[in-house]
């Protein structure tokens, strides 16, 4: 293939018609499940002010430090960024649009493109799609499981049956300082064994070291103090109840005591989803990393206070759509096109072409799935397309039929043909499709 002058930007991806079969299937499944569980859709702008993420996510997070695409406005008064994640934008929209006046808990979902400057690789692009849910205004532990449950049934509905949920509690502002002190003491003693990035993190945010993918840092962290040993009674009780419900549901979960997630706004329950069987995970769990995850989330009771100065509890999570598609393809899960035509409309000649629009529109209004190739003139060529599509019937509309206001209806299975008036066409097709 010759090299063309204009190529897509590194890390971006063209979504071709063959890919949209997956995106459409995922989105339609999301809508069905979110409708059933009474979630309402929200969409926030792609552009936000940088301060929103510095305040909400944390200036020491990888997203803010390394991964945001930023730009200056023409008057250079604001620095804007392409949104790197969804929760902070939803929290801003919550206050700015007065959503706190609605009945709570408020259940919201979103689906759209996000942007991070990362090294491109399979399932990881600089523009990517996410589906997320947020439950605002309720701190009950059951909602932590509720979020995980919705992700589980969604993935299973799509055909991804093998899942492991890594879960942990990272405490809150009451108990985390004690853990931070113990963790810092341990990491400082072992700082020569850490990578250069993590040695810098020691001064800013030692919790980020627990997320490091470097092998030598993973070895150090595997012997680090565990936050579950430092949880206050309230956080310990919260996590205990979460685990009890997961056990009752026979949920495919495991406790990962070093799971911290990459965003500073999380507290208490956090989780990530690995698309493997439990047996496979148990054999090689030390080698599964963040890049193997297809989604995650947790509780963020402090985020809304940081953004709107109101103490409002919340929990949520997000799934990476491209990562889900890769798993579906790897597992050879077949996704069928949701729109499959039952009829193919064949026209031959100038007059039939002109009159075809009204007939096609009548079929559309009556929700009869019909395909056509109105630019073609050959009967044989159009019938060949109809055969490939596997339609049940073909409407043949030529010069003679156009003058007489009739069509020829051909049964593609038997080859039999019937002359039908245009007035009775919809009624005849519906009757035949019902009998089929």
């Amino acid at each position: 293939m010759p090299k063309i002058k204009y190529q897509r930007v590194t890390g971006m991806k063209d979504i071709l018609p063959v890919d949209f079969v997956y995106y459409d299937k995922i989105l339609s499944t999301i809508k069905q499940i979110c409708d059933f569980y009474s979630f309402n859709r929200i969409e926030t702008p792609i552009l936000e002010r940088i301060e929103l993420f510095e305040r909400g996510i944390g200036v020491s997070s990888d997203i803010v430090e390394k991964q945001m695409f930023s730009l200056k406005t023409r008057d250079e008064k604001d620095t804007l960024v392409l949104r790197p994640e969804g929760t902070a934008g939803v929290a801003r929209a919550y206050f700015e649009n007065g959503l706190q006046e609605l009945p709570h808990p408020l259940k919201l979902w979103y689906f759209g493109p996000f942007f991070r400057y990362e090294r491109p690789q399979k399932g990881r692009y600089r523009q990517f799609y996410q589906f997320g849910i947020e439950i605002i205004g309720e701190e009950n532990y059951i909602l932590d499981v509720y979020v995980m449950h919705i992700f589980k049934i969604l993935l299973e509905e799509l055909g991804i049956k093998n899942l492991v949920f890594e879960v942990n509690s990272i405490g809150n502002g009451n108990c985390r300082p004690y853990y931070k002190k113990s963790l810092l003491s341990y990491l400082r003693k072992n700082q020569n064994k850490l990578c250069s990035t993590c040695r810098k993190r020691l001064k800013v945010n030692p919790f980020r070291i627990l997320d490091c993918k470097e092998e030598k840092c993973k070895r150090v962290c595997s012997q680090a103090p565990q936050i579950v040993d430092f949880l206050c009674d309230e956080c310990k009780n919260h996590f205990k109840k979460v685990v009890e419900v997961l056990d009752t549901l026979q949920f495919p979960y495991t406790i990962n005591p070093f799971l911290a997630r990459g965003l500073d706004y999380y507290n208490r329950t956090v989780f990530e989803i690995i698309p493997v069987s439990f047996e496979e995970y148990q054999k090689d769990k030390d080698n599964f990393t963040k890049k193997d995850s297809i989604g995650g989330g947790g509780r963020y009771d402090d985020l809304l206070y940081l953004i709107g100065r109101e103490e409002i509890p919340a929990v949520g999570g997000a799934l990476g759509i491209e990562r889900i598609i890769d798993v579906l393809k790897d597992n050879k899960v077949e996704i069928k096109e949701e729109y499959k035509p039952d009829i193919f409309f064949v026209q031959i000649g100038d007059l039939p072409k002109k009159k075809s629009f009204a007939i096609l529109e009548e079929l559309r209004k009556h929700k009869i799935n019909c395909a056509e190739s109105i630019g073609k003139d050959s009967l044989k060529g159009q019938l060949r397309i109809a055969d490939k599509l596997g339609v049940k019937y073909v409407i043949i509309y030529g010069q003679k039929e156009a003058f007489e206001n009739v069509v020829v209806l051909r049964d593609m299975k038997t080859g039999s043909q019937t002359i039908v008036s245009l007035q009775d066409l919809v009624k005849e097709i519906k009757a035949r499709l019902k009998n089929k």
Side-chain angles (χ1 to χ4, degrees):
M1 182 177 175
K3 187 173 181 180
I4 60 172
K5 183 177 180 181
Y6 302 106
Q7 296 182 309
R8 64 177 179 265
V9 176
T10 301
M12 303 296 180
K13 179 187 178 184
D14 297 313
I15 304 177
L16 305 176
V18 69
D19 299 316
F20 266 110
V21 175
Y22 290 91
Y23 285 87
D24 289 344
K25 175 63 177 177
I26 292 169
L27 183 55
S28 67
T29 306
I30 287 169
K31 285 180 177 178
Q32 290 169 12
I33 291 174
C34 286
D35 284 347
F36 179 84
Y37 283 98
S38 303
F39 281 79
N40 293 305
R41 189 169 184 178
I42 188 171
E43 186 64 50
T44 59
I46 288 174
L47 280 175
E48 297 273 12
R49 288 184 174 82
I50 193 170
E51 294 83 5
L52 173 67
F53 299 104
E54 289 177 336
R55 179 73 172 165
I57 297 174
V59 292
S60 64
S61 66
D62 275 1
I63 289 178
V64 173
E65 278 189 340
K66 306 174 184 177
Q67 296 172 352
M68 290 199 300
F69 288 92
S70 61
L71 58 135
K72 285 281 188 183
T73 55
R74 286 185 181 272
D75 56 13
E76 295 194 346
K77 289 182 179 178
D78 291 313
T79 299
L80 305 181
V81 295
L82 295 172
R83 60 182 185 184
E85 61 92 49
T87 304
V90 170
R92 176 204 46 76
Y94 175 83
F95 289 109
E96 191 167 351
N97 296 284
L99 299 186
Q100 62 267 49
E101 302 302 321
L102 298 176
H104 282 49
L106 188 64
K107 299 195 288 187
L108 304 170
W109 71 274
Y110 58 83
F111 180 99
F114 295 84
F115 306 83
R116 293 185 194 176
Y117 188 86
E118 296 187 279
R119 184 169 63 85
Q121 53 188 287
K122 183 180 178 182
R124 183 170 298 203
Y125 302 96
R126 290 176 179 173
Q127 177 179 325
F128 56 94
Y129 280 73
Q130 277 192 349
F131 155 64
I133 58 177
E134 315 291 353
I135 305 175
I136 300 172
E138 179 59 72
E139 61 179 346
N140 195 300
Y141 68 91
I142 200 69
L143 294 181
D144 302 11
V145 180
Y146 186 79
V147 170
M148 289 185 263
H149 170 71
I150 288 174
F151 285 164
K152 178 176 176 285
I153 59 173
L154 170 65
L155 293 168
E156 288 177 342
E157 190 78 13
L158 291 170
I160 303 175
K161 308 295 184 184
N162 292 325
L163 297 167
V164 173
F165 283 71
E166 291 186 335
V167 298
N168 191 27
S169 175
I170 56 173
N172 61 14
N174 295 326
C175 49
R176 204 178 303 153
Y178 299 102
Y179 173 62
K180 182 178 180 179
K181 183 178 179 181
S182 179
L183 180 64
L184 263 175
S185 175
Y186 169 80
L187 292 174
R188 280 171 179 158
K189 291 174 184 175
N190 293 275
Q191 60 181 307
N192 292 333
K193 300 175 186 176
L194 299 173
C195 68
S196 57
T197 302
C198 283
R199 285 198 292 272
K200 293 176 185 174
R201 286 172 175 160
L202 261 178
K203 301 174 183 176
V204 184
N205 188 349
F207 295 117
R208 297 292 297 112
I209 298 173
L210 299 175
D211 264 338
C212 186
K213 303 175 187 70
E214 293 285 339
E215 277 302 320
K216 58 183 181 180
C217 295
K218 285 167 65 177
R219 283 195 295 270
V220 172
C221 289
S222 67
Q223 302 299 316
Q226 299 181 8
I227 192 167
V228 290
D229 296 326
F230 292 81
L231 296 178
C232 63
D233 289 342
E234 194 176 345
C235 289
K236 192 179 295 182
N237 188 47
H238 185 100
F239 190 51
K240 179 186 175 187
K241 289 181 177 179
V242 167
V243 170
E244 285 173 352
V245 178
L246 293 175
D247 286 333
T248 301
L249 296 174
Q250 297 184 315
F251 219 80
Y253 83 96
T254 183
I255 295 175
N256 178 352
F258 300 109
L259 178 63
R261 298 286 289 152
L263 309 177
D264 289 359
Y265 55 62
Y266 284 114
N267 70 299
R268 290 191 175 169
T269 309
V270 291
F271 69 90
E272 288 195 357
I273 309 167
I274 312 294
V276 296
S277 69
F278 209 88
E279 293 73 20
E280 186 181 353
Y281 177 86
Q282 289 293 86
K283 286 178 186 175
D284 203 22
K285 62 182 178 182
D286 292 336
N287 289 322
F288 287 109
T289 65
K290 207 172 183 64
K291 66 179 174 54
D292 299 301
S293 166
I294 57 174
R299 182 159 284 281
Y300 53 94
D301 295 333
D302 297 328
L303 176 62
L304 281 95
Y305 181 79
L306 290 172
I307 291 174
R309 311 309 291 177
E310 290 186 35
E311 293 185 356
I312 303 170
V315 61
L319 298 174
I321 304 303
E322 285 79 10
R323 294 190 184 189
I324 291 173
I325 292 172
D326 283 341
V327 174
L328 292 173
K329 289 180 177 179
D330 289 345
N331 293 349
K332 295 181 171 51
V333 176
E334 184 181 358
I335 302 292
K336 295 180 180 178
E337 291 190 52
E338 295 192 355
Y339 180 91
K340 184 172 175 58
D342 299 306
I343 311 291
F344 191 91
F345 187 91
V346 171
Q347 45 65 44
I348 310 157
D350 288 340
L351 182 59
K353 280 188 194 298
K354 294 172 185 175
K355 288 190 170 185
S356 292
F357 294 100
I359 300 171
L360 289 167
E361 185 60 14
E362 193 67 16
L363 295 172
R364 184 192 68 79
K365 285 179 179 177
H366 286 86
K367 296 182 170 53
I368 295 171
N369 294 342
C370 180
E372 46 71 32
S373 187
I374 203 165
K376 291 190 180 298
D377 296 309
S378 163
L379 172 64
K380 188 176 179 180
Q382 292 179 76
L383 287 175
R384 193 181 300 122
I385 296 170
D387 192 52
K388 285 183 178 178
L389 290 173
V391 297
K392 298 177 179 73
Y393 298 98
V394 167
I395 298 170
I396 300 174
Y397 191 52
Q399 292 285 119
K400 180 174 180 294
E401 289 78 19
F403 281 116
E404 296 178 359
N405 288 322
V406 298
V407 298
V408 175
L409 191 60
R410 175 183 290 188
D411 187 315
M412 291 297 282
K413 186 175 182 180
T414 66
S416 62
Q417 296 189 162
T418 308
I419 295 175
V420 181
S421 71
L422 286 178
Q423 185 177 347
D424 295 332
L425 180 59
V426 168
K427 182 180 176 181
E428 179 68 20
I429 289 174
K430 283 189 171 183
R432 293 197 182 202
L433 291 175
K434 186 177 181 181
N435 291 333
K436 282 281 183 181

